[in-house]
Amino acid sequence: MKITQISNNRGIIIKSSIKKVIIDGDVENASAFKDVVITHLSADTLNIIESNSSPYRRINVSFDLMQLLQKLWRNGPLKRPEVMPKFRILPTNYPSVLGLEFRITPFDNDDGLIGSFAILIEDMNTGEKLGYVPNFITQGQHRNRIKKWKKHLRNSKLNQLIMFNTNVDPDKKQVGYSEKDFKNQFTEKVERHDDDWIQNQLVPFNPARLLTINELAAESNNPIIWLPAYARLLHYYYPDEDWLYQSDQLSDDLKEFFEKAHHLVAASQQDSDGILQSKSIIPLNQRLSEYAAQFKYTLPQNDLTEIMQIIGAQETYLI
């Protein structure tokens, strides 16, 4: 198995005797491949999907990411690709064959966004094993996921391990991102009426985070009043939670759904001290980059070093 790092971008190309597969990367590199594996959401990987030019390209993603994309296309925040690729869902903790020569096993990961996974790739001809881990945070909403893929990769006795390093704290402050700190910060921002910061958090790429925000805002007596498209999306994920929505923004084709649905509550800012979710003219790709930036440099170097030592691959590379 030959591995090539994509220059000026985070991703790799793996090649066997007859098969080439790109993992992550960007539109320019992915356009030449029939098989693409997307391990996480980023502006580049989302752009690969949105800018697809071949109906025969197969894009391999997690179930969670595929589910979110379908809901975003249906509810309007995200535009469907003009040329829809063939999507394939890679089940977590279960090996799938990619081409005729690679076996790939994904493991759920936590990078602050939905649909991320670490992967184990095995060359079925040579038996070589590669671990590939995109960005991650060790104290997020799903920190147990990190422990699980770390254990799987250690037990696999890897020949090579490739990990992203953009989340590593370059100043070695050893202050990691934590969910507790986020909750405290959000409550403080609501009390200070820091609307710009709050609006930057209201992006659709982590429904679990938006549920937390909805609960914290309600507890502060400043509930979020969502745009209808977001309220409908979040109602799908959490149908037993109350979601306030801006009734004056409701389009005619959605009125019947909202009138019949439970836990979707019409509201306006005048009804309460609510925080109106604002419409943004900034493309979702750019908003995704800005949102993901809050996790940058939040992984302590000690955490990364410890994980690499535990996995114990013969060779380890940071990209």
Side-chain angles (χ1 to χ4, degrees):
M1 176 167 49
K2 183 179 179 181
I3 303 165
T4 304
Q5 180 185 344
I6 300 170
S7 60
N8 301 320
N9 205 286
R10 285 179 170 80
I12 60 172
I13 297 168
I14 57 174
K15 183 179 180 181
S16 65
S17 58
I18 61 172
K19 183 71 174 178
K20 288 199 304 182
V21 177
I22 186 170
I23 303 174
D24 299 325
D26 57 14
V27 171
E28 182 180 355
N29 289 289
S31 62
F33 288 81
K34 182 180 179 181
D35 265 305
V36 180
V37 177
I38 291 180
T39 68
H40 66 288
L41 262 176
S42 70
D44 283 323
T45 57
L46 183 58
N47 201 23
I48 290 173
I49 296 171
E50 290 188 306
S51 304
N52 179 64
S53 59
S54 171
Y56 305 106
R57 180 166 296 116
R58 184 170 63 175
I59 298 182
N60 300 267
V61 297
S62 66
F63 172 81
D64 288 342
L65 180 52
M66 187 72 254
Q67 184 181 47
L68 178 67
L69 290 171
Q70 289 175 331
K71 297 305 174 184
L72 291 178
W73 291 331
R74 180 178 180 182
N75 291 288
L78 194 64
K79 185 180 178 182
R80 290 174 61 89
E82 292 185 8
V83 180
M84 186 66 73
K86 294 180 179 179
F87 283 100
R88 179 192 185 193
I89 293 173
L90 297 176
T92 54
N93 306 312
Y94 186 83
S96 300
V97 175
L98 198 60
L100 298 174
E101 298 187 311
F102 295 120
R103 185 182 291 116
I104 180 169
T105 308
F107 307 102
D108 286 328
N109 183 40
D110 184 13
D111 64 352
L113 298 162
I114 198 170
S116 175
F117 52 54
I119 53 177
L120 168 66
I121 304 170
E122 184 177 0
D123 188 320
M124 296 166 64
N125 290 327
T126 66
E128 292 177 280
K129 294 179 180 179
L130 164 70
Y132 177 90
V133 183
N135 281 326
F136 61 92
I137 50 180
T138 53
Q139 298 298 320
Q141 291 174 299
H142 308 291
R143 55 183 177 270
N144 285 336
R145 295 178 178 180
I146 312 302
K147 297 177 182 177
K148 290 180 179 179
W149 61 246
K150 179 172 60 176
K151 179 180 179 180
H152 281 291
L153 295 182
R154 179 196 65 193
N155 293 341
S156 298
K157 301 188 183 305
L158 301 177
N159 298 93
Q160 296 186 67
L161 173 65
I162 296 177
M163 306 181 80
F164 285 20
N165 65 353
T166 48
N167 277 10
V168 180
D169 177 12
D171 298 325
K172 300 183 179 180
K173 296 176 182 177
Q174 306 304 328
V175 179
Y177 170 89
S178 78
E179 196 62 18
K180 181 180 179 180
D181 289 343
F182 170 79
K183 292 178 179 179
N184 292 335
Q185 184 182 25
F186 183 84
T187 301
E188 179 183 322
K189 296 293 186 180
V190 170
E191 292 173 353
R192 293 185 178 182
H193 304 286
D194 191 341
D195 191 63
D196 288 342
W197 187 90
I198 294 170
Q199 295 294 335
N200 286 339
Q201 300 299 314
L202 305 184
V203 294
F205 300 111
N206 188 346
R209 164 53 53 78
L210 296 183
L211 173 63
T212 299
I213 287 174
N214 196 62
E215 293 171 341
L216 291 173
E219 291 170 5
S220 301
N221 296 315
N222 297 106
I224 306 294
I225 306 177
W226 300 90
L227 292 167
Y230 281 72
R232 187 181 184 188
L233 171 71
L234 294 167
H235 175 71
Y236 168 79
Y237 279 99
Y238 306 104
D240 296 326
E241 299 291 330
D242 287 335
W243 302 100
L244 277 60
Y245 69 91
Q246 300 170 34
S247 54
D248 60 332
Q249 298 293 325
L250 191 62
S251 59
D252 291 338
D253 60 320
L254 291 178
K255 283 184 178 179
E256 183 177 358
F257 173 83
F258 274 77
E259 288 171 357
K260 292 181 177 180
H262 297 290
H263 298 288
L264 286 174
V265 183
S268 66
Q269 195 171 30
Q270 288 71 32
D271 296 333
S272 65
D273 294 323
I275 300 170
L276 282 176
Q277 182 187 18
S278 61
K279 290 184 176 180
S280 177
I281 60 173
I282 301 174
L284 267 182
N285 260 350
Q286 183 177 334
R287 295 191 69 196
L288 172 57
S289 294
E290 293 170 354
Y291 178 79
Q294 67 186 301
F295 304 109
K296 198 172 184 180
Y297 305 145
T298 59
L299 177 64
Q301 179 68 52
N302 285 353
D303 284 6
L304 179 67
T305 301
E306 179 186 14
I307 288 173
M308 291 190 298
Q309 290 174 344
I310 289 173
I311 293 175
Q314 294 178 20
E315 299 176 347
T316 299
Y317 302 95
L318 299 177
I319 62 175

